[in-house]
Amino acid sequence: APAGLGMEVMAPHTINALNGTSVKLSCLFNSCYKVENKQFSLNWTYQECKNCSEELFLQFRTKIMNKQLDRFGNRVEFTGNPSKYDVSFTLNNVQLEDEGTYNCYVLNPPDRQRGHASISLKVLTKEPPKRDSTVAVIVGASVGGFLAVVILVLMVVKCVRRKKQQRLNTDDQKTEEEGKTDGEGNPEEGTK
């Protein structure tokens, strides 16, 4: 990004984590400037809900500092490398209460503006069953099959109507032709 526009911070919008496992919350940034530890700063905050206040739990000021929030205990591990524009962290032993929004704030002077990205963490109590895809395939096939039948029925109805219409048209033509011959024939008979 050009110097005047500040930096770009990139993170996934949503991450799903299985309860009891470890999950990496990835946050990368780009800057026109090399990272100088004396000037570089990073904050990771946690928000339980949209309107809840942000709680600072991880900070980088010349070195990484964990703010020991009771919520996370010692489960937060900085796994990024600021000099490689990576400020990710890993949350170990994920708990249901860890669900919420994680905000990554990065400032790398001389960039003037602080970069920001948010990640919504969803905690799953069990792995999504493998059959989910099977159910989706079955539902998809059923809906697809149903639509195919509906389309087929509509085509058949259309074809039947078209055939009836053609039959009616040919019948009309026949009766018109018969009517003509009758109409032409009657006067002839009358003149005999």
Side-chain angles (χ1 to χ4, degrees), residues 47-130:
Q47 265 180 298
E48 197 169 351
C49 64
K50 206 171 195 175
N51 298 323
C52 296
S53 59
E54 294 182 39
E55 301 173 61
L56 178 67
F57 67 90
L58 192 70
Q59 195 172 33
F60 187 101
R61 300 277 186 279
T62 67
K63 64 175 188 159
I64 202 73
M65 295 177 280
N66 281 19
K67 299 284 184 186
Q68 295 298 332
L69 283 185
D70 291 341
R71 172 185 303 283
F72 301 121
N74 59 358
R75 297 182 295 122
V76 171
E77 179 189 348
F78 184 72
T79 48
N81 183 344
S83 62
K84 292 187 177 172
Y85 306 106
D86 180 354
V87 290
S88 307
F89 80 94
T90 298
L91 183 59
N92 296 305
N93 190 18
V94 173
Q95 305 296 307
L96 291 172
E97 306 82 54
D98 297 337
E99 198 163 273
T101 303
Y102 291 79
N103 296 291
C104 173
Y105 295 100
V106 183
L107 181 61
N108 187 38
D111 275 328
R112 290 194 183 135
Q113 289 181 314
R114 183 167 75 153
H116 170 244
S118 292
I119 300 172
S120 174
L121 179 68
K122 306 279 185 217
V123 181
L124 310 173
T125 52
K126 57 183 178 180
E127 284 190 72
K130 299 287 184 255

